[in-house]
Amino acid sequence: MANKSWTEIGEEILHMMREDQAVRDALAETGELFHGYHPAMEKIHLKNAHKLKEIIDEKGFPTTDVVSKEVCTAAIKIVLHAISLPEFMRAQEVILQDLAKANKVPKMYVATLIDRIRFYEGRKQVYATNADWDENGILRITDVEDEENLNKRRAAMDLDPIESLVITPLTGEYHPPNPQKRYQEYLEWTHKVGWRTK
C-alpha cells in the first residue's frame, strides 16, 4: 500500500464503490435490499471498510488535495456504509470533522456521517440529513436538536435550507409491511453491532 500512488489508490476506491453499487442494484431488483440489512450488502460494506482503513492507517484519509473530489466523496461514502463497524465510523467522524474545517473534504457528507452516527446511537441529529420510516410506516426526518438554528448549521456544511427538502413517497417505493416489527428488528441490530448498550 505504501508504494502505491494516490492515483492508483483513487482507482481502487472508485472500484470499491462500483462494487457496492452493483450489489445494491442487484438486491433492489429482487426486492431483497428492503428487508433488513442483507448479508451480501453487509459483506461488501465490511470488505470495503477494511480496505479503506488500511489506506487511512498507512497514508491518511484521501482528501481533495491528494485525490479528486469524486474519490474523496467515494471514500466518505464507504465510511457511511460501514454501519456494522461503529468504532470505525466514530473514529473517522473525528478525523473528518477536522478535515471539513480545513476544507479538505466535502462538508455535506461529513454532516451526513455525524447525523448517521447519532441516528444509530438513538440521539437527535444535528443537520437533519437522515430520514427513516417511523413505527407507523411514515418516512420522515428523524428528530433534530436545536431546530431554531438548524438552517445556520446546514449552511455551514454546504447544505440547502431544510425547507427545500421534500420527502415524497415515490410510486412503487418500498414501505415496510410491518413498521413496528421492522423498528424492533432495527433496535435489536443496533445493540448487536454495538451502537447502543442500553
Side-chain angles (χ1 to χ4, degrees):
M1 187 69 67
N3 299 325
K4 286 185 179 176
S5 69
W6 274 117
T7 303
E8 290 171 300
I9 290 167
E11 285 167 8
E12 278 184 23
I13 289 169
L14 292 177
H15 178 69
M16 284 189 251
M17 272 313 296
R18 283 193 292 271
E19 278 190 318
D20 180 308
Q21 194 60 52
V23 172
R24 181 172 296 273
D25 289 347
L27 292 172
E29 189 89 8
T30 62
E32 293 172 277
L33 182 67
F34 308 113
H35 298 283
Y37 192 20
H38 196 283
M41 197 79 257
E42 183 177 34
K43 187 179 176 185
I44 195 78
H45 286 165
L46 289 171
K47 184 178 99 169
N48 288 348
H50 289 306
K51 273 192 191 173
L52 181 63
K53 186 178 184 303
E54 282 178 28
I55 293 166
I56 294 166
D57 288 347
E58 288 194 28
K59 294 181 77 84
F61 200 90
T63 51
T64 52
D65 53 340
V66 292
V67 294
S68 67
K69 187 176 178 181
E70 183 189 12
V71 170
C72 181
T73 300
I76 299 178
K77 285 181 177 177
I78 290 168
V79 176
L80 283 165
H81 292 175
I83 60 174
S84 294
L85 299 171
E87 292 314 312
F88 173 67
M89 286 182 74
R90 288 175 180 136
Q92 299 317 308
E93 177 189 24
V94 175
I95 293 165
L96 287 165
Q97 284 190 81
D98 286 340
L99 292 174
K101 284 173 193 162
N103 292 310
K104 290 187 174 183
V105 293
K107 291 178 179 178
M108 62 176 66
Y109 293 101
V110 180
T112 305
L113 177 62
I114 291 165
D115 279 351
R116 188 162 293 185
I117 288 170
R118 282 174 163 249
F119 169 68
Y120 288 130
E121 290 175 342
R123 296 191 292 146
K124 290 183 177 182
Q125 298 187 73
V126 181
Y127 302 104
T129 61
N130 193 88
D132 192 38
W133 288 279
D134 65 16
E135 291 180 55
N136 300 310
I138 296 166
L139 188 64
R140 65 177 187 88
I141 299 282
T142 57
D143 293 341
V144 180
E145 66 177 33
D146 183 22
E147 290 189 42
E148 199 176 312
N149 295 301
L150 174 58
N151 280 336
K152 285 183 193 168
R153 295 195 301 276
R154 286 178 65 87
M157 298 301 270
D158 299 334
L159 292 163
D160 292 332
I162 194 69
E163 293 77 16
S164 65
L165 285 188
V166 181
I167 299 180
T168 51
L170 302 171
T171 308
E173 185 183 341
Y174 170 75
H175 284 273
N178 187 334
Q180 289 183 327
K181 180 172 179 276
R182 178 189 176 276
Y183 183 70
Q184 196 53 46
E185 286 171 349
Y186 157 72
L187 286 180
E188 286 166 11
W189 174 83
T190 61
H191 285 89
K192 186 181 84 170
V193 299
W195 282 113
R196 304 187 196 190
T197 53
K198 293 178 185 175

